Amino acid sequence: MTTKDTLVPQKSTLQYLVQLPVLVAALGYFVDMYDLFLFSVVRVPSLKALGVTDDRLLPEGIFLLDMQLVGLLLGGVLWGILGDKRGRLSVLFGSILLYSLANIANGMVQNLNQYAILRFIAGVGLAGELGAGITLVAEILPKQLRSYGSILVATMGVLGAILAYFVADLFAWRMSYYVGGGLGLLLLVLRFNVFESGLFENLKTKHIERGNFLKLLTSPQSRRKYGLAIVMGIPLWFVVGILITFSPEFGRHAGLAEPIIAGKAVMLAFAGQSLGDIVSGLLSQRLKSRKKAIRVFILLSFAMMLVYLLAPVSETSQFYFICVCLGFCNGYWTLFIVLAAELFGTNLRATVATSVPNFVRGATVPLTWLFVSLKPSLGLTYGPLLIGGVIVLCSLIALHFLEETFSKDMNYVEG
């Protein structure tokens, strides 16, 4: 292991955070989030342009979202294994290349079948960047600065989601996809000057098995940690994948005269999440605890779910303000991935940090199925409320049984 991995050189916090690998990971997540939530922004106009009628916008939108999420689920496992076998940078730039090309192709679709296939391919590409980036940042930065690294990555990512709204507002939906693809390809220019994690380079010199996904399932201890980490993060994508993505439907259900614009709701929610990511990272730093900070935000998120679903709303401005607050309370996404990465050794870290968030994203598939199944009997208020209450309770229980990782040394391997 290199000196920089064992000792903290005399550098300022800013000097650590502006290292090129950290900046590339942050910018990669910027482009990642742009594409990931561009579909939420352009869902309605793109589907209408392809001839989908108003009564089919919700089911067809759910189908395309599910295709993207299945791609994320599959890609999360594949990129994670590759990240531990070939290196964090291989995944970081390979995933950026794939989703950038898929983005450009999304702007050329002519029918729903093409759209579905390309959303799946884009999902596979999108699955790799964040986990690889967070793993790289966690292994490069000293342990006392990892929270600040997560703040930088998360903030840049959320700004990407906000940019998606403004680009879609200024340009047609096809051009919005082209812009996202172009941004990703531009980012690849930086790859030649980025160095690999010293911990991974050191591990390559040893005869230790890396990236064995089956070990996460066959080892009781690893399986327990892995499963708890996934369950702990599911409320994040219940909020994003259902409450915010389908905000126009919730707005109509609330009786608002003026329709809610999905893209605006996404943009405002992620503006709130940008602030929430900063606050959760700082709170973790202040409390010297990942678990305490995440617990606070899970409880805040549930409180805002209740407001979103039950509070009487008469103005669209009130609804949008609630979206901002809901986004803020959802601002522990990157901190959650940092915790997942810290739970496992260097030989499985990328596999976990890449696959766990994508299993959480993939959980939106059964959640949307439940959402649609419960809608006839419980409606758009009590159905989502029941789903949200159950997953929040499960996430708090899972968090309770996970270890605290704030001060954990990253230089170890899983047996």
Side-chain angles (χ1 to χ4, degrees):
M1 186 172 62
T2 61
T3 302
K4 68 180 179 183
D5 291 316
T6 54
L7 300 176
V8 180
Q10 295 302 310
K11 293 182 182 180
S12 67
T13 298
L14 181 60
Q15 286 175 315
Y16 273 112
L17 294 178
V18 296
Q19 293 179 93
L20 193 55
V22 178
L23 292 178
V24 168
L27 291 171
Y29 192 40
F30 176 91
V31 180
D32 180 302
M33 288 285 279
Y34 175 98
D35 180 78
L36 190 59
F37 290 99
L38 181 62
F39 175 70
S40 294
V41 177
V42 302
R43 173 177 65 96
V44 173
S46 64
L47 288 175
K48 284 185 174 181
L50 295 176
V52 177
T53 57
D54 288 347
D55 64 313
R56 297 296 302 168
L57 288 176
L58 178 60
E60 297 296 355
I62 289 176
F63 170 67
L64 292 177
L65 178 63
D66 287 350
M67 288 294 291
Q68 174 179 289
L69 292 170
V70 171
L72 285 163
L73 189 60
L74 177 63
V77 176
L78 295 178
W79 288 117
I81 294 171
L82 186 63
D84 280 323
K85 289 186 177 294
R86 298 293 301 274
R88 287 58 167 129
L89 293 184
S90 297
V91 171
L92 189 64
F93 292 108
S95 62
I96 290 173
L97 177 62
L98 181 58
Y99 69 65
S100 296
L101 295 176
N103 233 348
I104 293 171
N106 266 267
M108 303 177 183
V109 298
Q110 298 300 318
N111 56 59
L112 278 176
N113 288 335
Q114 293 176 0
Y115 210 174
I117 292 170
L118 287 169
R119 288 323 298 161
F120 171 79
I121 295 172
V124 173
L126 289 164
E129 194 283 331
L130 180 58
I134 287 294
T135 301
L136 189 64
V137 169
E139 292 180 345
I140 287 176
L141 293 179
K143 60 186 177 183
Q144 68 268 28
L145 298 182
R146 292 197 296 255
S147 293
Y148 293 129
S150 74
I151 291 172
L152 176 61
V153 173
T155 301
M156 290 300 294
V158 173
L159 290 176
I162 295 172
L163 178 66
Y165 167 76
F166 285 109
V167 171
D169 189 51
L170 291 172
F171 302 104
W173 65 274
R174 294 184 187 275
M175 180 57 68
S176 301
Y177 278 123
Y178 297 150
V179 170
L183 289 173
L185 294 177
L186 284 173
L187 184 58
L188 292 177
V189 176
L190 296 176
R191 68 167 296 175
F192 301 106
N193 296 315
V194 181
F195 57 84
E196 181 61 87
S197 156
L199 293 180
F200 178 77
E201 291 289 359
N202 180 57
L203 184 64
K204 285 202 304 184
T205 65
K206 302 175 181 178
H207 298 291
I208 296 176
E209 186 179 32
R210 307 190 305 271
N212 184 353
F213 181 77
L214 291 178
K215 184 175 288 187
L216 294 173
L217 305 179
T218 56
S219 167
Q221 181 180 1
S222 296
R223 183 171 63 243
R224 176 180 177 276
K225 289 192 296 182
Y226 190 65
L228 290 175
I230 293 171
V231 172
M232 183 255 294
I234 290 177
L236 286 155
W237 267 72
F238 169 73
V239 170
V240 173
I242 293 180
L243 299 185
I244 297 299
T245 295
F246 300 108
S247 53
E249 288 78 8
F250 285 104
R252 282 198 301 271
H253 179 69
L256 297 176
E258 184 180 346
I260 294 298
I261 301 171
K264 187 174 183 179
V266 170
M267 184 273 293
L268 291 173
F270 280 93
Q273 184 171 317
S274 179
L275 179 60
D277 278 314
I278 294 171
V279 173
S280 68
L282 292 174
L283 182 62
S284 174
Q285 201 71 20
R286 172 81 179 202
L287 299 175
K288 298 190 183 305
S289 170
R290 305 278 185 248
K291 291 177 60 175
K292 290 179 181 177
I294 290 174
R295 185 179 295 112
V296 167
F297 271 77
I298 290 175
L299 292 172
L300 287 175
S301 182
F302 182 64
M304 283 311 305
M305 288 181 202
L306 296 177
V307 173
Y308 183 90
L309 294 169
L310 299 176
V313 179
S314 57
E315 302 289 338
T316 55
S317 58
Q318 294 174 333
F319 188 93
Y320 285 133
F321 177 72
I322 293 173
C323 288
V324 174
C325 296
L326 194 58
F328 173 83
C329 297
N330 220 39
Y332 61 101
W333 169 246
T334 311
L335 193 62
F336 145 72
I337 300 172
V338 170
L339 186 149
E342 293 170 340
L343 284 169
F344 288 83
T346 308
N347 58 325
L348 283 174
R349 188 168 296 130
T351 301
V352 171
T354 304
S355 61
V356 162
N358 288 301
F359 273 109
V360 169
R361 288 165 169 167
T364 310
V365 175
L367 289 178
T368 53
W369 178 82
L370 277 172
F371 170 60
V372 172
S373 299
L374 292 175
K375 183 174 177 287
S377 58
L378 296 178
L380 278 178
T381 297
Y382 296 105
L385 187 60
L386 175 62
I387 298 170
V390 171
I391 62 176
V392 165
L393 178 61
C394 291
S395 70
L396 289 171
I397 294 172
L399 180 64
H400 174 76
F401 287 105
L402 285 171
E403 65 177 297
E404 179 58 65
T405 61
F406 180 84
S407 299
K408 195 172 184 179
D409 188 350
M410 294 288 93
N411 186 24
Y412 73 100
V413 296
E414 295 292 323

